[in-house]
Amino acid sequence: MRILVTGGAGFIGSAVVRHLVHDVGAEVLNIDKLTYAGNLASLGSVESMPNYRFLRADVCDGGVMRQAFAEFRPDRVMHLAAESHVDRSINGAADFINTNVMGTFELLQAALHHWNGLSGEEKEGFRFLHVSTDEVYGSLGDEGLFHEMTPYDPSSPYSASKAASDHLAIAWHRTYGLPVVVSNCSNNYGPFHFPEKLIPLTILNALEQKALPIYGSGANVRDWLYVEDHARALHLIASRGRIGEKYNVGGQNERRNIDVVKRICAIMDRLKPQGAPHEKLISHVTDRPGHDARYAIDATKLRAELDWNPRESFDTGIEKTIIWYLDNELWWRPLREKVYSGERLGTLTKV
Ligand code: NAD
């Protein structure tokens, strides 16, 4: 099984690559541009494995994508490359439109060209998994869950660009027959998460006794999934998902942002008592423009059809994650010092 993964140096992509190389034993080609969010240090455990190779390239470069397909001849594509941070999309949407929309278009075209040249079992077995987010569905009120038929209603430039890419992927199936499957997942957390997102930022700021910023009142609800549970789900969906279908992925772990931060503080009080109580560092800041109130996923289809279940609850996963950050300063210290030191992103400025 030859699997072409895009965005494999990112947070979820690197978990997918580690799973495919170590647990599945697939031959993996990782294509990644290495933006600020891409980090080869997340792939140390696979870099010398004979079934892993890396190509630094931009998914927007259609010529290079076609060449990569021709040389690697994948049986499967798992497309994760994207600009992924909502706050950055508020300050600079162009990169999101380029990579998430145009990049997906170029990759679909390259995959279609490759697939059209296949025959027999190779053509039958080929799959293109487009990896997306629950943010395409917009915001929920206090009740209800997102299911696969929930209409799209994105709020941010990020989620709008992902919605566009989902539509392209499904259209390439309906129009050209490309065997596409789409996944929409809730918020992930876990090891190797770039420290601009809520959970790693809170852990590292708490460790360094810095302010723990909470947008608005902190009442926004997210449905948290441990990244390795997501990686296993993606492999299942790419292997056995039905062509032309969408699958929601979620951990049934709804938490208000303020409760996530307080939970991290409580664990830090135990693991780093010299900084306790860490809750004193909580600082409420201006809310994110267009901030969705609540996301929650109904993953019944994935559980029923593909027999997937998350292994981590939020309580077990967050403890593992905090311990990982405490043990892996060599991974995060260069990012905090040279790439992003925690300043506020995503406030409104004149465009
Ligand atoms: P990430 O920002 O950590 O990683 C993205 C990776 O894509 C990086 O390695 C980056 O270098 C690479 N990349 C960016 N632009 C590229 C380009 N033009 N060409 C090639 N590579 C490029 O993102 P993530 O959190 O790992 O998310 C991966 C995918 O999963 C994204 O498609 C995202 O929309 C989706 N997703 C994320 C979450 C989440 O909670 N993080 C939840 C659901 C879905």
Side-chain angles (χ1 to χ4, degrees):
M1 177 62 62
R2 289 185 302 278
I3 306 181
L4 189 163
V5 178
T6 71
F11 167 48
I12 302 170
S14 66
V16 167
V17 168
R18 291 190 300 270
H19 178 54
L20 295 175
V21 169
H22 291 303
D23 309 329
V24 175
E27 251 187 75
V28 173
L29 171 64
N30 172 18
I31 300 185
D32 198 296
K33 183 181 171 181
L34 297 183
T35 66
Y36 79 96
N39 189 350
L40 293 179
S42 307
L43 294 162
S45 72
V46 299
E47 67 185 5
S48 56
M49 298 286 284
N51 54 334
Y52 171 75
R53 59 186 109 157
F54 174 64
L55 171 66
R56 184 173 190 176
D58 187 335
V59 290
C60 298
D61 190 335
V64 172
M65 290 307 110
R66 275 197 188 208
Q67 202 183 338
F69 273 86
E71 284 171 16
F72 185 62
R73 297 188 59 76
D75 304 303
R76 192 176 291 169
V77 177
M78 298 172 77
H79 175 38
L80 293 100
E83 288 292 337
S84 71
H85 190 37
V86 174
D87 285 343
R88 288 182 194 263
S89 81
I90 294 167
N91 297 136
D95 286 346
F96 290 71
I97 307 304
N98 283 333
T99 288
N100 301 1
V101 184
M102 294 307 297
T104 300
F105 161 71
E106 293 293 354
L107 198 71
L108 285 165
Q109 287 290 79
L112 182 60
H113 180 77
H114 167 71
W115 181 71
N116 278 335
L118 299 177
S119 59
E121 276 183 13
E122 271 192 329
K123 188 161 190 163
E124 278 282 297
F126 185 81
R127 294 290 180 277
F128 185 111
L129 171 64
H130 174 66
V131 178
S132 190
T133 164
D134 61 355
E135 300 191 28
V136 297
Y137 299 124
S139 185
L140 289 166
D142 291 344
E143 300 290 317
L145 301 170
F146 294 133
H147 48 84
E148 283 79 2
M149 302 309 285
T150 302
Y152 277 29
D153 188 21
S155 302
S156 70
Y158 163 66
S159 52
S161 69
K162 290 298 292 187
S165 65
D166 293 14
H167 291 316
L168 292 178
I170 293 290
W172 257 241
H173 167 63
R174 292 188 189 159
T175 303
Y176 306 111
L178 187 69
V180 166
V181 189
V182 174
S183 65
N184 295 89
C185 186
S186 59
N187 281 47
N188 284 215
Y189 69 100
F192 302 103
H193 203 182
F194 189 84
E196 64 188 351
K197 306 275 169 71
L198 176 70
I199 287 180
L201 183 71
T202 301
I203 297 169
L204 298 184
N205 280 8
L207 184 63
E208 295 181 340
Q209 290 287 301
K210 292 184 176 160
L212 309 180
I214 298 272
Y215 292 177
S217 67
N220 305 64
V221 173
R222 301 292 179 260
D223 180 354
W224 293 97
L225 182 67
Y226 192 67
V227 67
E228 289 171 12
D229 283 325
H230 189 194
R232 284 188 304 106
L234 292 177
H235 173 57
L236 280 177
I237 297 168
S239 311
R240 303 202 334 251
R242 283 183 290 135
I243 293 172
E245 294 282 324
K246 295 173 80 244
Y247 290 84
N248 281 353
V249 190
Q252 272 185 308
N253 276 296
E254 282 186 57
R255 292 285 186 287
R256 295 187 313 159
N257 287 346
I258 184 75
D259 297 329
V260 168
V261 171
K262 285 184 173 171
R263 181 89 196 113
I264 293 171
C265 288
I267 298 172
M268 288 295 287
D269 286 351
R270 179 161 40 84
L271 299 177
K272 290 281 169 191
Q274 61 277 29
H278 292 86
E279 267 194 34
K280 69 176 186 290
L281 301 168
I282 290 177
S283 151
H284 290 268
V285 299
T286 326
D287 207 353
R288 169 190 278 168
H291 203 178
D292 288 332
R294 177 171 164 259
Y295 304 139
I297 280 278
D298 179 351
T300 309
K301 180 173 172 179
L302 173 63
R303 287 169 187 264
E305 284 188 21
L306 302 180
D307 199 21
W308 171 85
N309 274 301
R311 290 180 184 157
E312 302 294 342
S313 68
F314 186 73
D315 285 342
T316 59
I318 196 68
E319 174 107 14
K320 271 190 172 180
T321 303
I322 294 173
I323 292 171
W324 186 87
Y325 278 91
L326 297 182
D327 289 347
N328 285 278
E329 184 170 347
L330 275 179
W331 184 86
W332 57 260
R333 178 67 66 195
L335 301 177
R336 292 272 279 188
E337 284 176 359
K338 297 196 192 102
V339 188
Y340 173 67
S341 52
E343 65 278 10
R344 177 79 198 263
L345 300 168
T347 49
L348 287 181
T349 47
K350 286 209 175 108
V351 179

